[in-house]
Amino acid sequence: MCGIVGYIGPKAVDSVLIVGLEKLEYRGYDSAGIAYFDRNEISIIKEKGRIADLEEQIKKYPVEGHIGIGHTRWATHGEPSKVNAHPHMNRDKTIAVVQNGIIENYLELKTELKSLGYMFISETDTEVLPHMIDRYVKEGFDLEKAFVKTLHRLDGKYAIAMIGEKNPDRVYFAKDGAPLILAEGENLSGKKELLLASDVPAFVPLAKSAYYLNDGEWGYFDSTIHLFDRPGAQINAFMEPVAIKLEDISLGEYEHFMRKEIYEQPEMLERILAERIVNNETIEFSELKFPREYLSKVARFIIQACGTSLNSGMIGKLYLEQVAKKMADADYSSEFRYRNPVAGGDTLVIGISQSGETADTLAGLREAKSKFLKVLSFVNNINSTIARESDGVIHLMAGPEIGVASTKAYTAQLTHMLLFAYHVADISWLLTSEEKRDLIKELKTIPDKMRKILQYETKIKEIAERLKNRNSVLFLGRTWNHATALEGALKLKEISYIHAEGYAAGEFKHGPIALVSAEVPVVVVAPKGEMRTKLISNLQEVKARNGEVFAIVTEGDDELASLADAVLEVPESSEILSPLLTILPLQLLSYHTAILRGCDVDKPRNLAKSVTVE
Ligand code: M6R
């Protein structure tokens, strides 16, 4: 939530900041702004709305300067408006600050500053920062000390960048709880440039190496990086090469990241399988440092995650139960963290997160650690806070996911949960070589089956036409595809704003069926397998009440096709692998429904890609 950038270098500061902010727009898009030094004085430009709106403003005021900071906002305190947009300044306009996160004690600080005569113009928590720094400067501290003294007054989780006229050659920064990365690049004439950002895409392709700040670290950069730990001791910023390439974060031939990311799934799966399966018979996670003896003795797994990641976790729970024969639960992180979970020392808590920064999932892992439980995370961002705080990490290898609606991360999570369950079963001597070979053989057929589903896009668009004017849609599935129904409903509601709910089909008669009418269609996920006949009964119940049924079926299932109003086919697979296929038509269905309704699929209203506040 919110993205911040900072720059010092030979390029025009506005262009670097704008490009960086555009890449961070997935983190929030309510308002945006930049502050920069123009002949040693701070200038500021901000605007309500998207980065494109800010860019329009910038065109009106030619910017000169090479040092600055920028922000794209997801509103927490105060409505989306120009006055609440960052950067925020002190009254003298000599200090400008951007912040990502929450200053929890801002009301207390605000009251204190007001009693000293400070006046506030915005409703944000961030505005206390420039005033508090100003106060300490006026008390006689230099800008650096004033910055640090202010940091010591803060409760909350944040990443901050600041420029101040007392040090017109510096960009200050601090991190405590929200991500912040420093980066170094070199322009063509060999001049060094230094950057900071909430996420790596903001400085691709400019930066060659990056440093991921730890909580409590702060500092500034001028011609080089000056980094300090919380108590103030100078430390080295060990830079790592930036692995993300420009094409990974560009649209290429696609109009939207969501569609690009849906289409990337077959190749992504091939990449994952090539990495995880060794010699066609062993499943390996080279980054997972847990000893096999430990993992095989884990008696219970608790998966905790949010949104799409929880939906994949629900299927992960089934994999662990059915394949690895372990006790497993899946829970909302936001509940797990507060329900004082009871668990023995042989429990392993799993967090699943694309971003690796989701506040509730992180808090769930911290809660588990506070109970001396080991934690394992499945993350797409291997440098994220969740990855760094976990005892063990499995990298999802989905590549950068930019669309706010998660798609390829979901199938990467499913694949990794499945492989992990097989790995646990294997090291627990529960699998025969034949069973392993069969799984691997079948898994390798899935990418081409996904490609086949993508070829049915025209048919999917036709069904989207039939959904686009509905107010409500229900999704039903069972066992392996119960979570598919939940995920299909989540996708539809978040990007098309059509009310949608997913249900375990067996629960349908216990209430939700009351919603069925000619106006409320039902999507039934019914690939071949044990639950197919049960789902046919649900389908009949809907038809008997004038409901329209769209079904996800296995190719050639003429019986189901004859009962439903329309079907979307997926190639045949074993039931356990079916969730890797059945979700694809639902991802495309929500995409096309949203497009037909004129929605911004990559930046749906009210949402942000990475939910770093509670
Ligand atoms: O980064 P995470 O996987 O932890 O994010 C969890 C959810 O916020 C995320 O999956 C959200 O539900 C997406 N908008 C779903 O498309």
Side-chain angles (χ1 to χ4, degrees), residues 283-337:
I283 295 163
E284 280 190 12
F285 300 95
S286 53
E287 71 277 41
L288 183 59
K289 303 296 177 215
F290 287 149
R292 285 173 169 234
E293 309 75 65
Y294 162 73
L295 209 49
S296 62
K297 291 202 177 83
V298 171
R300 180 182 174 207
F301 293 87
I302 303 179
I303 299 166
Q304 54 101 24
C306 304
T308 289
S309 297
L310 177 58
N311 291 337
S312 72
M314 290 176 67
I315 300 177
K317 164 193 150 78
L318 295 181
Y319 287 152
L320 284 163
E321 281 178 353
Q322 306 300 317
V323 177
K325 309 292 175 211
K326 299 281 188 181
M327 280 190 283
D329 303 298
D331 199 359
Y332 302 101
S333 298
S334 52
E335 292 295 314
F336 174 80
R337 64 181 287 190

Side-chain angles (χ1 to χ4, degrees), residues 57-117:
Q57 284 302 310
I58 291 177
K59 280 187 197 148
K60 293 184 200 156
Y61 309 97
V63 171
E64 288 197 23
H66 301 279
I67 299 179
I69 55 177
H71 187 271
T72 181
R73 178 169 188 251
W74 186 86
T76 56
H77 297 69
E79 59 167 8
S81 67
K82 190 166 171 173
V83 75
N84 286 332
H86 298 213
H88 291 284
M89 298 190 90
N90 59 335
R91 201 179 55 185
D92 302 343
K93 307 216 176 302
T94 54
I95 294 165
V97 179
V98 292
Q99 191 254 141
N100 163 32
I102 288 194
I103 309 299
E104 280 162 5
N105 60 338
Y106 85 104
L107 282 175
E108 180 193 318
L109 301 178
K110 195 167 175 174
T111 309
E112 180 182 320
L113 288 162
K114 276 183 171 173
S115 73
L116 296 170

Side-chain angles (χ1 to χ4, degrees), residues 6 93 156 295 322 332 340 375 435 511 555 571 602 614:
K93 307 216 176 302
L295 209 49
Q322 306 300 317
Y332 302 101
N340 196 13
V375 300
E435 282 169 324
E555 279 170 352
D602 281 340
E614 206 184 331

Side-chain angles (χ1 to χ4, degrees), residues 202 238 405 414 519 567 588:
F238 291 108
L414 289 182
E519 283 76 46
V567 292
L588 279 172

